[in-house]
Amino acid sequence: MGLDVRLRTARLYLSTDLRESTRDFGNFVEAAFAGGVDILQVRQEGVDAGKLLEALDLARTISYHFQGLVVVQGDAALAGRFAADVLHLGQTDVAPAAARPQLHQWALIGQSAHNSDQVRRAAADAEVDYLSVGPVNLSGPAEHPAPGLDLVRAAATIQPPGQQDSKPWFASGGIDEDTVDEVLEAGARRVWVTRA
């Protein structure tokens, strides 16, 4: 199954760190994919690039058995070294067009959107393959204000789920078993979780 098909059929996106305190990264990744995760992003600030590449490589090896995708966060050079299938960019990272030459020709690029204007720009950007929309709720330290369900509703209008030219998008930020139903009712069809 091609990368674009795997992206379009994905419903659950998970971010994780290297799980150094529990030392169970490989087991956790396998359990996540076995439990229904379609896309896994490995991210940890301040970690040695070699250590991160090791973890990414292990995650990719495990993902093959599940047709899962493994994502590099924010670092186009690292994504290039890893030959990443997916690079996710925040609003302050390099522009998607600048990142694209560092990736292999089939690689996918995602971009975070924290307001309606950013959703529109990412939706119109030919270099962006998918979006994350949020944060819906705040959980942990807040990098951005939480626009809440209004942004999910706006994204569903801008990028209607299932419409032929609509890019896949994931509602993100503070979504867990207590809030996922309201996020889906607001128009999301895909969710991204971190601490849930």
Side-chain angles (χ1 to χ4, degrees):
M1 194 173 357
L3 297 177
D4 56 339
V5 174
R6 285 152 69 188
L7 173 63
R8 288 205 168 269
T9 58
R11 295 291 176 263
L12 183 57
Y13 191 129
L14 171 69
S15 289
T16 186
D17 61 14
L18 301 185
R19 299 182 62 84
E20 292 173 309
S21 62
T22 53
R23 298 176 179 237
D24 66 345
F25 180 78
N27 290 335
F28 176 79
V29 169
E30 183 148 15
F33 280 123
V37 167
D38 302 298
I39 302 175
L40 180 84
Q41 181 185 105
V42 182
R43 67 184 294 177
Q44 185 165 321
E45 300 297 324
V47 71
D48 172 72
K51 196 172 199 176
L52 188 53
L53 280 168
E54 234 176 79
L56 286 163
D57 193 49
L58 175 58
R60 180 164 50 195
T61 299
I62 294 167
S63 77
Y64 288 146
H65 304 288
F66 302 95
Q67 290 288 305
L69 296 171
V70 175
V71 182
V72 172
Q73 166 64 37
D75 187 336
L78 181 69
R81 283 177 59 195
F82 177 57
D85 289 331
V86 188
L87 170 65
H88 189 85
L89 299 170
Q91 287 292 317
T92 59
D93 294 323
V94 65
R100 180 68 68 189
Q102 299 182 65
L103 307 175
H104 67 72
Q105 69 181 103
W106 298 284
L108 304 171
I109 295 178
Q111 187 165 47
S112 298
H114 310 299
N115 59 50
S116 296
D117 288 340
Q118 291 175 359
V119 171
R120 283 188 191 88
R121 279 196 303 273
D125 188 334
E127 298 297 340
V128 174
D129 299 293
Y130 75 92
L131 297 73
S132 72
V133 174
V136 175
N137 303 299
L138 291 180
S139 65
E143 291 179 33
H144 307 280
L149 294 174
D150 287 343
L151 183 57
V152 175
R153 290 184 192 99
T157 301
I158 296 164
Q159 290 289 103
Q163 188 170 306
Q164 190 63 29
D165 60 348
S166 180
K167 292 181 183 180
W169 57 274
F170 296 80
S172 66
I175 300 170
D176 59 23
E177 60 189 10
D178 295 328
T179 60
V180 69
D181 287 341
E182 64 185 16
V183 172
L184 297 176
E185 285 168 16
R189 294 296 171 262
R190 298 172 176 88
V191 295
W192 177 339
V193 298
T194 302
R195 295 173 181 85

